[in-house]
Protein backbone atom coordinates (compact mmCIF):
# COMPACT_ATOMS: atom_id res chain seq x y z
CA UNK A 1 0.00 0.00 0.00
CA UNK A 2 1.17 3.51 -0.75
CA UNK A 3 0.14 6.96 0.37
CA UNK A 4 -0.91 5.89 3.83
CA UNK A 5 -1.28 8.53 6.54
CA UNK A 6 -3.13 8.76 9.81
CA UNK A 7 -6.57 10.37 9.54
CA UNK A 8 -8.51 10.10 12.78
CA UNK A 9 -9.39 8.19 15.90
CA UNK A 10 -13.02 7.50 16.77
CA UNK A 11 -14.12 6.89 20.34
CA UNK A 12 -17.49 6.06 21.83
CA UNK A 13 -19.25 8.36 24.28
CA UNK A 14 -22.65 8.02 25.92
CA UNK A 15 -23.34 11.68 26.73
CA UNK A 16 -22.33 14.02 23.90
CA UNK A 17 -22.79 17.20 25.96
CA UNK A 18 -20.52 15.92 28.75
CA UNK A 19 -17.96 14.69 26.22
CA UNK A 20 -17.99 18.04 24.38
CA UNK A 21 -17.40 19.80 27.70
CA UNK A 22 -14.40 17.55 28.41
CA UNK A 23 -12.77 17.62 24.96
CA UNK A 24 -13.79 21.12 23.89
CA UNK A 25 -13.83 23.12 27.13
CA UNK A 26 -11.41 21.32 29.45
CA UNK A 27 -8.88 20.08 26.87
CA UNK A 28 -9.52 22.98 24.50
CA UNK A 29 -9.71 20.97 21.28
CA UNK A 30 -11.15 22.91 18.32
CA UNK A 31 -14.43 21.53 17.00
CA UNK A 32 -14.82 21.11 13.22
CA UNK A 33 -17.90 20.61 11.08
CA UNK A 34 -18.86 17.05 10.22
CA UNK A 35 -19.94 16.17 6.69
CA UNK A 36 -23.69 16.71 6.28
CA UNK A 37 -24.25 13.14 5.05
CA UNK A 38 -23.31 11.68 8.45
CA UNK A 39 -26.57 11.03 10.27
CA UNK A 40 -25.48 9.50 13.61
CA UNK A 41 -24.85 11.86 16.54
CA UNK A 42 -21.32 12.90 17.34
CA UNK A 43 -18.72 15.66 17.27
CA UNK A 44 -15.40 16.02 15.49
CA UNK A 45 -12.29 17.84 16.68
CA UNK A 46 -9.18 18.83 14.75
CA UNK A 47 -5.77 18.19 16.29
CA UNK A 48 -3.01 19.17 13.90
CA UNK A 49 -3.51 17.18 10.70
CA UNK A 50 -5.64 14.52 12.42
CA UNK A 51 -9.10 14.42 13.91
CA UNK A 52 -10.80 12.94 16.94
CA UNK A 53 -14.34 11.73 16.27
CA UNK A 54 -16.78 11.29 19.15
CA UNK A 55 -19.53 8.82 18.30
CA UNK A 56 -22.57 8.52 20.55
CA UNK A 57 -23.33 5.05 21.87
CA UNK A 58 -26.03 5.22 24.57
CA UNK A 59 -24.99 3.52 27.81
CA UNK A 60 -21.33 3.20 26.80
CA UNK A 61 -18.74 3.05 29.58
CA UNK A 62 -15.11 2.29 28.77
CA UNK A 63 -13.73 -0.72 30.66
CA UNK A 64 -10.75 -0.22 32.98
CA UNK A 65 -9.50 -3.67 33.99
CA UNK A 66 -6.11 -2.35 35.17
CA UNK A 67 -6.87 0.59 37.48
CA UNK A 68 -3.22 0.93 38.52
CA UNK A 69 -1.83 1.62 35.02
CA UNK A 70 -4.25 3.57 32.81
CA UNK A 71 -1.68 3.77 30.02
CA UNK A 72 -2.05 0.05 29.43
CA UNK A 73 -5.56 0.58 28.08
CA UNK A 74 -6.67 1.80 24.68
CA UNK A 75 -6.14 5.55 24.73
CA UNK A 76 -5.53 8.65 22.65
CA UNK A 77 -2.43 10.74 23.35
CA UNK A 78 -1.89 14.46 22.88
CA UNK A 79 1.26 16.51 23.26
CA UNK A 80 0.86 19.64 25.40
CA UNK A 81 3.07 22.71 25.68
CA UNK A 82 2.98 22.85 29.50
CA UNK A 83 2.24 19.61 31.34
CA UNK A 84 2.17 21.23 34.79
CA UNK A 85 -0.38 23.84 33.66
CA UNK A 86 -2.40 21.03 32.06
CA UNK A 87 -2.35 19.08 35.31
CA UNK A 88 -3.56 22.12 37.26
CA UNK A 89 -6.33 22.71 34.72
CA UNK A 90 -7.50 19.08 35.02
CA UNK A 91 -7.43 19.35 38.82
CA UNK A 92 -9.48 22.56 38.69
CA UNK A 93 -12.15 20.65 36.73
CA UNK A 94 -11.94 17.66 39.14
CA UNK A 95 -10.74 15.33 36.39
CA UNK A 96 -9.10 12.09 37.53
CA UNK A 97 -5.32 12.08 37.00
CA UNK A 98 -2.72 9.35 37.02
CA UNK A 99 0.95 10.10 36.33
CA UNK A 100 2.88 7.95 33.93
CA UNK A 101 4.29 4.85 35.63
CA UNK A 102 7.37 5.09 33.38
CA UNK A 103 8.46 8.34 35.01
CA UNK A 104 8.33 10.32 31.77
CA UNK A 105 6.63 13.71 31.57
CA UNK A 106 3.11 12.45 30.93
CA UNK A 107 -0.15 11.94 32.73
CA UNK A 108 -3.39 10.16 32.06
CA UNK A 109 -6.95 11.27 32.62
CA UNK A 110 -10.35 9.82 31.78
CA UNK A 111 -13.26 11.43 29.99
CA UNK A 112 -16.80 11.24 31.43
CA UNK A 113 -17.27 7.79 29.81
CA UNK A 114 -13.97 6.44 31.12
CA UNK A 115 -11.98 6.69 27.88
CA UNK A 116 -8.30 7.15 28.76
CA UNK A 117 -6.50 10.23 27.43
CA UNK A 118 -2.74 10.64 27.68
CA UNK A 119 -1.27 14.12 27.88
CA UNK A 120 2.50 14.32 27.41
CA UNK A 121 4.97 17.17 27.48
CA UNK A 122 5.60 18.06 23.82
Amino acid sequence: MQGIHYLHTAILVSDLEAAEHFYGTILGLPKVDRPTNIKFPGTWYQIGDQQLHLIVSPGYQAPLPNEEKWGRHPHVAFGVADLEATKIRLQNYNCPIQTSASGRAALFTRDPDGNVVELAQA
Side-chain angles (χ1 to χ4, degrees), residues 9 21 23 36 39-40 51 63 65 81 85 87 92 98 101 106 109 113 117-118 120:
T9 296
H21 176 72
Y23 290 98
T36 57
K39 302 302 179 196
F40 57 85
Q51 293 184 344
K87 180 179 179 180
N92 288 340
Q98 187 178 86
T109 190
D113 291 292
V117 177
E118 178 181 351

Side-chain angles (χ1 to χ4, degrees), residues 8-25 27 29-35 38-47 50-58 60 76 78 110-117:
H8 71 267
T9 296
I11 60 172
L12 300 177
V13 299
S14 65
D15 180 336
L16 189 58
E17 185 176 329
E20 286 177 335
H21 176 72
F22 178 80
Y23 290 98
T25 303
L27 296 186
L29 301 181
K31 188 187 286 191
V32 295
D33 292 331
R34 298 183 330 147
I38 295 181
K39 302 302 179 196
F40 57 85
T43 299
W44 290 6
Y45 295 96
Q46 191 73 41
I47 305 101
Q50 290 77 38
Q51 293 184 344
L52 176 67
H53 296 179
L54 307 182
I55 299 172
V56 175
S57 177
Y60 177 75
V76 295
F78 303 121
R110 298 178 72 202
D111 75 8
D113 291 292
N115 293 300
V116 176
V117 177

